[in-house]
């Protein structure tokens, strides 16, 4: 595909919370984008949301959307169990696709999507944490070896109780695939592995808590052993009794350490331990919104410049690790992961 100055015509599939709060507001104001269509299983809701964002077409059936040759790209924002099929169908229809996480509920499902035509050049999975300005800066330090060999990462996402209603689809295992680990843990696990360029996993052990006999876990802890004696320690919950949500990442290396929220980088130099935290450009929006904006901008710019998106092979590994975490809980044991 050659570069084009024409706007990218995008349709969004799914008009739920993530679409209404993030994707539609950002895309509707983004230069180089024509927010051209919307589909949701609830047609009445889709009509209402389309009116709010001046979207000209509401597709009653996905088949009509796939056949519409005027649409360049699809953003999939539906419940998780629909991602695999809808992403594969959109790719087969020749569209570029940005699929919200997870790509599929299992590693096998992710592998099937990646076998779809065009998955090697037209598919992106929505891992917005990678696009946080502080995470991007930290990646530069790690990739350049400035912190030495990274041997330990600890990350957590602790959301206050009440963030998920009992009627939310995320509370239903057959629709969401899991609870807090599938919702919050996937994003943090991907962030930590991405910082390390996805090394070979060796073993994993996990523990989970289900509150009030619910279908899915409200809290989870996992310990992942990676090749090279590296360790990732991850904790997530929907049930924090506290005044605010918390998210953090701590990284330890042989020549320095770093953290996110707040962003800090320290290096062991000849003069001693030195704070080398770079000053990030001040933003007018929070990290959450900024990360989604950068993610969507990357997706749109890649299409407009006629470039290929990087094939997201790592999502097979990611979903296999999530499966292993649930297996670890079921079997009450560590799960070996090496080949």
């Amino acid at each position: 595909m050659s570069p084009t100055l024409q706007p990218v015509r995008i349709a969004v599939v799914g008009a739920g919370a993530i679409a209404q709060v993030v994707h539609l507001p950002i895309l509707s104001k983004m230069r180089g984008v024509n927010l051209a269509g919307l589909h949701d299983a609830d047609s009445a809701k889709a009509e209402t949301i389309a009116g709010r964002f001046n979207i000209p077409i509401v597709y009653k059936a996905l088949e009509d959307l796939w056949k519409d040759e005027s649409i360049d790209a699809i953003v999939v924002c539906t419940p998780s169990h629909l991602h695999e099929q809808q992403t594969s169908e959109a790719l087969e229809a020749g569209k570029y696709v940005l699929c919200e996480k997870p790509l599929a509920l299992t590693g096998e499902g992710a592998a099937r999507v990646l076998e779809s035509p065009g998955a090697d050049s037209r598919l992106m999975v929505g891992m917005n944490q990678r696009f946080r300005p502080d995470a991007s800066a930290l990646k530069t330090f790690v990739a350049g070896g400035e912190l030495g060999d990274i041997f330990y990462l600890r990350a957590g996402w602790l959301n206050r109780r009440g963030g998920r209603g009992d009627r939310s689809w995320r509370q239903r295992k057959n629709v969401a695939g899991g609870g807090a680990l599938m919702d919050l843990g996937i994003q943090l696990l991907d962030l930590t592995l991405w910082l390390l360029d996805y090394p070979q996993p060796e073993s994993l052990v996990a523990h989970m808590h289900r509150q009030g006999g619910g279908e899915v876990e409200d809290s989870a802890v996992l310990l992942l052993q990676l090749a090279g004696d590296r360790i990732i320690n991850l904790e997530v919950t929907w049930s924090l009794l506290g005044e605010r949500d918390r998210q953090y990442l701590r990284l330890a290396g042989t020549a320095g350490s770093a953290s996110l929220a707040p962003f800090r980088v320290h290096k062991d130099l000849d003069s001693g331990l030195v704070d080398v935290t770079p000053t990030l450009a001040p933003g007018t929006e929070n990290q959450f919104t900024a990360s989604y904006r950068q993610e969507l901008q990357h997706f749109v710019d890649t299409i407009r410049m006629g470039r290929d998106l990087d094939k997201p092979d790592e999502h097979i590994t990611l979903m296999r690790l999530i499966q292993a975490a649930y297996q670890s809980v079921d079997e009450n044991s560590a799960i070996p992961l090496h080949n």
Side-chain angles (χ1 to χ4, degrees):
M1 181 176 176
S2 59
T4 176
L5 296 179
Q6 296 298 316
V8 177
R9 289 178 57 84
I10 294 179
V12 174
V13 176
I18 193 66
Q20 293 184 46
V21 173
V22 174
H23 294 286
L24 294 174
I26 292 175
L27 289 171
S28 65
K29 298 177 181 178
M30 184 174 287
R31 294 181 62 183
V33 169
N34 184 337
L35 187 53
L38 180 66
H39 168 81
D40 192 90
D42 184 339
S43 296
K45 179 173 76 171
E47 292 282 359
T48 300
I49 301 302
R52 185 186 308 167
F53 291 98
N54 297 314
I55 301 172
I57 302 176
V58 173
Y59 296 89
K60 303 299 183 183
L62 280 175
E63 291 75 13
D64 296 333
L65 172 53
W66 305 152
K67 293 176 183 177
D68 189 343
E69 296 183 359
S70 72
I71 297 297
D72 303 306
I74 306 292
V75 177
V76 176
C77 298
T78 50
S80 298
H81 72 301
L82 300 174
H83 290 184
E84 179 183 341
Q85 179 178 346
Q86 291 175 345
T87 299
S88 295
E89 290 179 354
L91 287 169
E92 289 170 1
K95 313 299 186 186
Y96 283 85
V97 183
L98 171 60
C99 177
E100 265 295 342
K101 57 83 185 167
L103 181 59
L105 296 184
T106 65
E108 292 76 15
R112 286 191 292 269
V113 177
L114 291 169
E115 291 173 356
S116 302
D120 59 342
S121 59
R122 291 187 277 107
L123 173 62
M124 180 176 172
V125 183
M127 290 297 176
N128 65 291
Q129 296 280 339
R130 298 184 183 189
F131 290 87
R132 290 169 46 175
D134 55 358
S136 297
L138 178 55
K139 173 74 168 179
T140 301
F141 278 93
V142 174
E146 295 186 57
L147 304 180
D149 294 327
I150 308 303
F151 58 86
Y152 182 69
L153 294 97
R154 181 169 179 254
W157 197 341
L158 314 177
N159 280 355
R160 292 174 295 170
R161 182 180 295 177
R164 301 293 179 193
D166 291 340
R167 297 182 180 180
S168 168
W169 62 264
R170 294 187 185 278
Q171 300 284 352
R172 295 158 51 198
K173 186 172 178 60
N174 65 328
V175 176
L181 182 64
M182 189 70 79
D183 180 30
L184 308 177
I186 280 181
Q187 299 180 59
L188 278 192
L189 184 57
D190 174 74
L191 178 61
T192 55
L193 290 167
W194 172 73
L195 286 169
L196 300 177
D197 288 331
Y198 264 81
Q200 173 65 46
E202 297 287 347
S203 67
L204 181 151
V205 63
H207 300 277
M208 299 182 189
H209 176 262
R210 290 184 178 86
Q211 197 164 51
E215 288 185 32
V216 298
E217 77 284 354
D218 71 283
S219 304
V221 176
L222 68 82
L223 194 66
L224 174 61
Q225 179 80 38
L226 302 168
D229 292 325
R230 286 170 284 187
I231 296 172
I232 292 175
N233 186 347
L234 183 71
E235 61 176 355
V236 294
T237 186
W238 288 337
S239 298
L240 176 68
L241 292 175
E243 61 184 14
R244 61 181 179 85
D245 298 343
R246 293 185 57 213
Q247 186 181 145
Y248 66 86
L249 185 146
R250 303 288 183 270
L251 177 152
T254 55
S257 65
S259 68
L260 297 182
F263 180 40
R264 295 287 185 273
V265 182
H266 290 83
K267 290 178 63 175
D268 185 13
L269 303 176
D270 293 338
S271 57
L273 192 62
V274 178
D275 185 341
V276 294
T277 306
T279 300
L280 301 180
T284 59
E285 54 194 6
N286 60 46
Q287 291 269 11
F288 174 83
T289 305
S291 66
Y292 275 106
R293 187 179 304 280
Q294 290 295 325
E295 174 187 83
L296 287 165
Q297 192 69 64
H298 173 75
F299 181 63
V300 169
D301 288 347
T302 300
I303 298 172
R304 294 192 79 198
M305 295 302 297
R307 298 171 181 163
D308 290 344
L309 292 161
D310 293 332
K311 187 176 183 180
D313 289 310
E314 68 276 9
H315 285 272
I316 299 175
T317 298
L318 180 64
M319 295 318 301
R320 285 176 175 168
L321 291 174
I322 296 297
Q323 284 180 272
Y326 289 113
Q327 180 184 352
S328 174
V329 172
D330 291 341
E331 298 179 3
N332 193 29
S333 65
I335 306 299
L337 300 168
H338 51 78
N339 295 326

